[in-house]
Amino acid sequence: MIHHHPGDELLLAYAAGTADEAVSLIVATHMSYCAVCRERTAKLESLGGALLQDLPPAELEAGALDNVLARLDAVKPFERPRRAASRDGTPAVLRAYIGGDLSTVRWRSMGPRLSYAPLFKRGKVSARLLRGVPGADSGVHHHCGTEFTVVLQGGYTDPTGNYGPGDLQVMEDGMSHNVVADPGEDCVNLAVTTGRLKFDSLLQKIAAPLFGF
Ligand SMILES: [Zn+2]
């Protein structure tokens, strides 16, 4: 049961194709768990199409249609790479970035209880997988920029609530929290950050840049 969904502005940005790659990955991953948001996004998409239809027609330059047709001829049809089905329920959109299932990820250790795997970095925007054993504690940290998190396995709790598979959390610029992995299986999250995290503890202040946080 999913309790935490993206807001309409995120779904709209996704539906309109204006969200950047990392945010699109977050929303698409959430939607692979969430039928409610899939349906809502489909509605937003058809609403966008209806709005476009209502726009007054614009004059086209002479030859515009020929230009478009010529460009279509030049485009090679996109062939979606064929991948075997996931063995562990890893969302397809995420498998494309991991290059396989969650169970095949090579984790890098950040101490005995936490590990991570970078997915990509575009300027200040980073997408990574985070993994914590039950009881693992992120330490109090402040956000510069926004952090988007989707739980993939297990769960975690912070002062704002409890998050399980498919739940999406948005931490805005300037907010701080402390995340503790729930009992049971390891907690695995997809996290996108648009800025660096600032940690309260001295050890983490030293360690964070080493791990690219
Ligand atoms: Zn949802």
Side-chain angles (χ1 to χ4, degrees):
M1 181 73 190
I2 293 173
H3 298 280
H4 304 276
H5 305 267
D8 275 350
E9 61 295 345
L10 264 184
L11 292 183
L12 258 178
Y14 177 85
T18 55
D20 65 29
E21 180 183 8
V23 171
S24 296
L25 174 61
I26 281 283
V27 175
T29 302
H30 170 79
M31 286 203 297
S32 68
Y33 292 87
C34 182
V36 174
C37 286
R38 282 200 299 273
E39 202 173 303
R40 195 156 177 79
T41 302
K43 277 188 191 150
L44 290 170
E45 278 169 350
S46 53
L47 184 68
L51 286 175
L52 280 178
Q53 277 182 353
D54 286 347
L55 287 177
E59 289 280 323
L60 284 181
E61 282 174 42
L65 182 61
D66 286 341
N67 284 341
V68 171
L69 290 177
R71 265 194 254 168
L72 281 179
D73 284 341
V75 174
K76 288 188 189 136
F78 174 71
E79 280 195 26
R80 197 170 282 281
R82 284 186 196 185
R83 291 183 188 277
S86 171
R87 288 165 182 267
D88 62 3
T90 306
V93 62
L94 203 53
R95 293 185 86 232
Y97 284 95
I98 297 171
D101 282 337
L102 270 182
S103 53
T104 66
V105 170
R106 284 192 203 158
W107 296 96
R108 302 182 189 182
S109 174
M110 290 190 292
R113 320 195 77 184
L114 292 168
S115 48
Y116 77 109
L119 293 182
F120 62 84
K121 192 165 164 58
R122 311 263 189 267
K124 282 185 176 174
V125 178
S126 298
R128 53 174 79 92
L129 299 170
L130 298 170
R131 179 179 192 131
V133 301
D137 188 331
S138 72
V140 176
H141 55 277
H142 305 276
H143 292 271
C144 306
T146 309
E147 180 186 62
F148 303 88
T149 305
V150 175
V151 180
L152 306 172
Q153 177 193 301
Y156 69 82
T157 301
D158 80 352
T160 69
N162 179 257
Y163 296 80
D167 278 330
L168 183 151
Q169 184 178 29
V170 181
M171 290 295 287
E172 299 291 354
D173 189 17
M175 292 168 86
S176 65
H177 67 162
N178 183 27
V179 174
V180 180
D182 290 341
E185 55 183 340
D186 285 3
C187 175
V188 178
N189 301 330
L190 166 66
V192 163
T193 49
T194 62
R196 282 192 175 279
L197 306 180
K198 281 191 200 160
F199 287 91
D200 276 0
S201 90
L202 180 62
L203 186 66
Q204 286 178 319
K205 271 182 191 159
I206 296 168
L210 291 176
F211 295 114
F213 281 80

